[in-house]
Structure formats: C-alpha cells, structure tokens
Amino acid sequence: MKRLKNKIAVITGAGRGIGRATAIKFAREGAQVVIAEYDTGSGKATESEILRKGQSAEFIAVDVSDESSVNHLFDDIGNRYGRVDVLVNNAGILQDSTLKKLEPEQFDRVISVNLRGVYLCTRRAGDLMREQGSGVILNASSVVAHYGNFGQTNYVAAKAGVIGMTKVWARELGKDGIRVNAVAPGFIATDMTAGIPEKILTMMAEKVPLKRMGDPEDIANAYCFLASDEARYINGAVLNVDGGVVV
Ligand code: NAP
C-alpha cells in the first residue's frame, strides 16, 4: 500500500538535495508532487526524473521569500488541484559569517528565505487545509537550532525560529485537523555542505555517534513518515534526524 496515495504534496526547494530526495520519495509513495523551486533548471530536472518513472510531478517556479510569488504558487495550486494535503517547507540558504563580519543584508536574506518563506507558504497552505479540514505541514529546522554554531547567527536564528513557529501552529491548527511538525537534520551530504573542506567534514562525521554524514534520503524518509497517516497523532514535534548528534 502506497503511503501517500493521491496526496497533493508541495515541496519547496525540491530541485536539489533533501528537497529533491523528498520529491522522489513522495512520488514513489503515490503523491502528486508539486516541485516549488526557485531554479527552473533543477526544478524541471526533478520533474522529468519523476515523470520518466510514470509517477506524478509538476514544477512551479517560486521564490519563497517573495509574497506575490508565494501567492501565485498557491493560487495556481488552488485553481488546478483544489487542495493541498502536505506542505514541506524545505527551501533554505546559507550565508555564513561570524558576528563581527556579518552584514545586515546577509542577516536579512537568510531570515527572509529560511524563516519568512516558511511563514508565507504556511499561511497560504493553511488557508486551503483549513477549508478541507485536514493537512500536514513539515518544516526544515536543523540540529544547530539546538546548540548554535560558529558563524551562523542568521541561519541559527531562522532555524530556531522555525521550531518556535512549528509549536505555535501545532497549537493553532490542530483543531482544524492539521498537524505541524519540524525535522532537524544533522550533517547531510548535499550541495549545502559540499563547500565545507574535506578535513572538516571528516571531523564532523567523527562527532556523529553513527560515524557518518546523513544522506538526503535519510531526511526524505522522516518526512514521508511524518506526512503519512502512520504519524496521525504526532503534532508539534521536532524530530532530530542526525545519527545521534543531539542526544
Ligand atoms: P540545498 O542542496 O542547498 O538545496 C536547497 C534548495 O532550496 C535548492 O534547490 C535551492 O534552489 C532552493 N531554494 C533556495 N532559495 C529558495 C527560494 N528563495 N525559493 C525557493 N527555493 C529556494 O540544501 P539542502 O542541504 O538540501 O537543505 C534543505 C533544507 O534542509 C534547508 O532548509 C536546510 O537549511 C536544511 N538543512 C540542511 C542540512 C544539511 O546538512 N544539508 C542540515 C540541516 C538542515 P537553488 O538551486 O536556486 O539554489
């Protein structure tokens, strides 16, 4: 039995990395996937990869930090599908710098994509989900929200904020049949971590009790479980998927 059969699932930032792996996993589990991605090339590539297998996917361009772009995305989804069953707020960026060097523009940009983008998408998906009386919202946090990280004032502020918003929305939306949870990935091998020098990556992997970095599929599997009815009584949770980094 496919776990997400006929669910309309919107995944932001699904052109690459964890978002792409989640789109592929959800489509395999029977979902009709909307690849809500900034970059047309990678968004279309994920779409083709899923369609080639005879599964269902559609790329729609969006900048999650831009209100009118997000409104256009959900107007489009509302008109054509009439519902949204799952929203995965996955899109995220890094602009690392120590406090001493961090410019306000870098602070604002990361907050704008990683925090405001989550709010803008959830606001519109929440309207559709309330109308239908059901839905699942999944937010990308990070292990660094729990313990901070050198050079990541903006990123950690956003990821900790995502946990806060998850808890607020779990309380506000539960009565409408909507579950809201966050996933806090550890060190996952994607383009986001590809820029880190090999020596540091080895050191980071050594700190993980399971002694390896995670794969995007490890996070996709967690999203799939939380999106499915198997998780029907899980609401307001933050699931660490980090090989035991935070225990
Ligand atoms: P990634 O490989 O850098 O992919 C991020 C995706 O988001 C890209 O496809 C990117 O599009 C898209 N995106 C960026 N800004 C966007 C915007 N304004 N609107 C729409 N899409 C946008 O990142 P990842 O490693 O898969 O991470 C995915 C999520 O997990 C992020 O929220 C990240 O913070 C979180 N996370 C990752 C790790 C890790 O170790 N990798 C750990 C903890 C949490 P472009 O191709 O145009 O850039």
Side-chain angles (χ1 to χ4, degrees):
M1 175 68 184
K2 298 200 169 179
R3 288 191 287 171
L4 302 178
K5 195 159 189 280
N6 298 330
K7 303 269 187 208
I8 310 296
V10 180
I11 303 163
T12 67
R16 292 193 282 127
I18 294 167
R20 175 179 167 276
T22 304
I24 289 167
K25 171 83 182 172
F26 277 27
R28 198 186 309 134
E29 290 290 344
Q32 295 188 45
V33 174
V34 175
I35 298 155
E37 163 65 47
Y38 191 63
D39 179 65
T40 302
S42 65
K44 283 254 169 225
T46 306
E47 181 193 64
S48 310
E49 193 175 342
I50 293 172
L51 292 178
R52 256 201 315 274
K53 295 182 208 155
Q55 297 157 358
S56 174
E58 181 189 9
F59 161 69
I60 304 180
V62 71
D63 176 353
V64 297
S65 67
D66 181 279
E67 188 184 347
S68 64
S69 176
V70 170
N71 285 341
H72 176 265
L73 168 72
F74 285 98
D75 286 346
D76 209 4
I77 290 168
N79 289 336
R80 277 181 308 120
Y81 296 95
R83 60 186 293 118
V84 178
D85 298 298
V86 184
L87 167 67
V88 183
N89 281 308
N90 164 78
I93 58 167
L94 286 176
Q95 287 199 12
D96 291 358
S97 192
T98 57
L99 177 62
K100 198 169 155 186
K101 295 188 188 147
L102 183 67
E103 296 294 337
E105 296 72 30
Q106 292 172 287
F107 184 87
D108 289 346
R109 184 64 194 147
V110 170
I111 294 293
S112 172
V113 175
N114 296 11
L115 189 67
R116 187 169 190 268
V118 174
Y119 150 70
L120 288 174
C121 291
T122 303
R123 192 171 73 114
R124 288 302 312 269
D127 289 341
L128 286 164
M129 289 176 179
R130 251 194 308 273
E131 263 174 46
Q132 68 206 30
S134 66
V136 178
I137 292 161
L138 301 172
N139 298 326
S141 181
S142 167
V143 284
V144 299
H146 297 304
Y147 59 68
N149 202 18
F150 195 94
Q152 290 197 320
T153 295
N154 47 4
Y155 186 79
V156 171
K159 295 302 182 184
V162 162
I163 292 179
M165 295 197 300
T166 299
K167 293 180 179 181
V168 170
W169 297 335
R171 290 182 185 279
E172 288 187 3
L173 306 179
K175 66 177 185 320
D176 296 304
I178 304 166
R179 297 187 290 108
V180 189
N181 293 293
V183 168
F187 312 120
I188 311 300
T190 66
D191 291 345
M192 190 173 266
T193 45
I196 303 173
E198 194 59 41
K199 214 173 99 186
I200 311 274
L201 285 179
T202 310
M203 222 170 68
M204 282 160 67
E206 254 320 291
K207 285 192 181 150
V208 181
L210 290 181
K211 299 295 173 202
R212 68 164 177 92
M213 288 182 76
D215 298 319
E217 290 72 22
D218 293 325
I219 308 304
N221 290 340
Y223 281 135
C224 184
F225 164 65
L226 288 172
S228 76
D229 290 341
E230 290 165 15
R232 67 188 180 188
Y233 204 56
I234 301 179
N235 187 32
V238 182
L239 179 59
N240 297 334
V241 184
D242 61 3
V245 167
V246 176
V247 286

